[in-house]
Amino acid sequence: MISVIIPTLNRPGPLNRALRSLARQELTDFEVIVVDDGGTSPVRPVTDSWRTALPIRLIETDHCGVSAARNTAMAAANGEYVAFLDDDDIVFPRHLRAAHTVLDRGTADVVYGGALVSSRWIESIPRNVRWLPRKDYEFDSRFLLCANFIHTGSLVCRNFTDTAAQFTESMTHCEDWDLWLTLHTSLGYRFAYLGETTSVYHQVPQCRGAVSAAYLSSPTPFTLARRNLFRTWPSTDPQIADYRAWFTEFDARLDRLIEDGRPAPAHIYESAVRTLHHRFVTGHRADHAVLDSLLPEHHSAHRQPARVR
């Protein structure tokens, strides 16, 4: 059985879509655990409306953050495997079946499918998907030390509640990346890419999700989280150091852009990973010309000189 974990906070409409996508799953041997992270919008009417179609449990907690909410759900999970789904994302009908098929063979402990990245609500694969960014990368353990290329909602893994692994509750961004590194590096979990698109990662501006909200301040929470993760998971590999330096400069330029009052380009991180993943796995150095094309330096006439401390 698979335990599907959904943390939610004040998004009953998107949560309803997420649950509808689970009701359409080809595999039926799963349970759904929804954790209401202390929100003010009513969640119970949404979960109650799906009780005849889904084996669903609702856990209501004080507001402690997404990592704590997931850990709470993990403690209640009965499945041999666990899947993660954010309340504003959806999975396609084959998602759980495809994951279970590979996990059941015993050749992998963690599997993930490809994810479409959409700035509007979709619940099925569009006829023309070329306009949508994607997260659909083969697994590379060394590149995982540079960037997160696995969407949370695309992943299903062996239940790890009998280990010390968990989501770091002080983290509000990149907490999924930190867990992937823990599972692979500390627990030795084997990762495998399913080779098919199984989910949608919604970045709808009006929804004020983690990405759009993060790009409203500088330094962004992603800058701070990435800085912390590079310290937590050190590496002496020169190629990893090269790509980490690229992402550090990427963050610095994006922070300056936001400081100047200009919006972050849509799907800017996805564009960066799309270019760099192939260069990394083929043994090339990080290309700073790519950085210049994604985030060209602009010198604001209104920016004050830095203070000397």
Side-chain angles (χ1 to χ4, degrees):
M1 184 175 72
I2 299 175
S3 297
V4 183
I5 290 170
I6 308 178
T8 189
L9 180 64
N10 296 331
R11 294 197 285 207
L15 173 62
N16 190 61
R17 293 189 190 93
L19 294 175
R20 181 160 56 227
S21 75
L22 290 172
R24 296 169 174 169
Q25 290 299 295
E26 295 177 4
L27 180 78
T28 58
D29 188 18
F30 66 92
E31 65 174 355
V32 183
I33 305 172
V34 177
V35 178
D36 180 5
D37 186 28
T40 56
S41 298
V43 172
R44 189 170 295 278
V46 179
T47 56
D48 283 351
S49 70
W50 287 103
R51 289 196 184 279
T52 58
L54 293 170
I56 188 168
R57 281 183 284 160
L58 173 63
I59 301 174
E60 297 171 307
T61 68
D62 293 332
H63 179 57
C64 296
V66 66
S67 294
R70 291 198 187 109
N71 286 338
T72 296
M74 284 293 304
N78 295 315
E80 180 182 1
Y81 308 115
V82 290
F84 303 104
L85 182 61
D86 287 345
D87 61 0
D88 59 340
D89 294 332
I90 64 105
V91 287
F92 295 132
R94 270 188 49 78
H95 175 65
L96 294 181
R97 179 178 293 282
H100 187 270
T101 297
V102 175
L103 288 168
D104 221 31
R105 291 181 193 142
T107 56
D109 306 293
V110 181
V111 297
Y112 62 96
L116 301 178
V117 184
S118 179
S119 56
R120 62 179 179 84
W121 300 113
I122 59 175
E123 296 189 55
S124 59
I125 298 179
R127 184 172 300 176
N128 183 359
V129 299
R130 288 180 297 175
W131 58 276
L132 288 175
R134 302 185 188 194
K135 296 173 83 77
D136 56 354
Y137 306 97
E138 293 286 347
F139 185 70
D140 186 284
S141 61
R142 293 172 60 249
F143 191 69
L144 190 63
L145 286 164
C146 305
N148 185 18
F149 52 90
I150 302 172
H151 172 49
T152 312
S154 70
L155 183 141
V156 184
C157 69
R158 191 172 302 282
N159 193 322
F160 52 85
T161 51
D162 61 346
T163 76
Q166 64 174 358
F167 288 94
T168 301
E169 297 191 358
S170 61
M171 297 184 71
T172 58
H173 293 73
C174 300
E175 73 288 339
D176 53 348
W177 182 13
D178 180 60
L179 181 67
W180 312 159
L181 288 167
T182 298
L183 294 179
H184 182 67
T185 305
S186 300
L187 299 187
Y189 271 31
R190 299 159 297 169
F191 281 61
Y193 174 53
L194 293 173
E196 61 181 286
T197 300
T198 66
S199 65
V200 177
Y201 176 21
H202 282 120
Q203 292 185 10
V204 180
Q206 297 85 349
C207 194
R208 285 297 298 273
V211 175
S212 59
Y215 289 156
L216 297 177
S217 62
S218 174
T220 74
F222 289 114
T223 295
L224 299 176
R226 195 162 8 248
R227 190 182 300 164
N228 178 60
L229 278 166
F230 288 169
R231 287 195 300 264
T232 303
W233 301 96
S235 174
T236 58
D237 185 312
Q239 189 187 22
I240 291 172
D242 180 38
Y243 278 73
R244 285 184 166 187
W246 192 100
F247 275 105
T248 298
E249 177 60 19
F250 170 89
D251 286 333
R253 292 193 186 190
L254 190 54
D255 287 340
R256 289 194 290 270
L257 189 84
I258 294 168
E259 286 171 9
D260 287 345
R262 288 175 287 134
H267 309 306
I268 184 64
Y269 177 76
E270 311 305 336
S271 298
V273 175
R274 173 62 57 190
T275 302
L276 292 186
H277 181 271
H278 178 71
R279 291 191 61 83
F280 186 94
V281 299
T282 53
H284 293 86
R285 295 200 61 180
D287 189 349
H288 282 262
V290 172
L291 185 57
D292 291 334
S293 68
L294 292 174
L295 289 169
E297 285 280 50
H298 294 281
H299 301 284
S300 171
H302 303 290
R303 188 184 300 160
Q304 297 296 318
R307 292 182 180 178
V308 177
R309 297 186 179 181

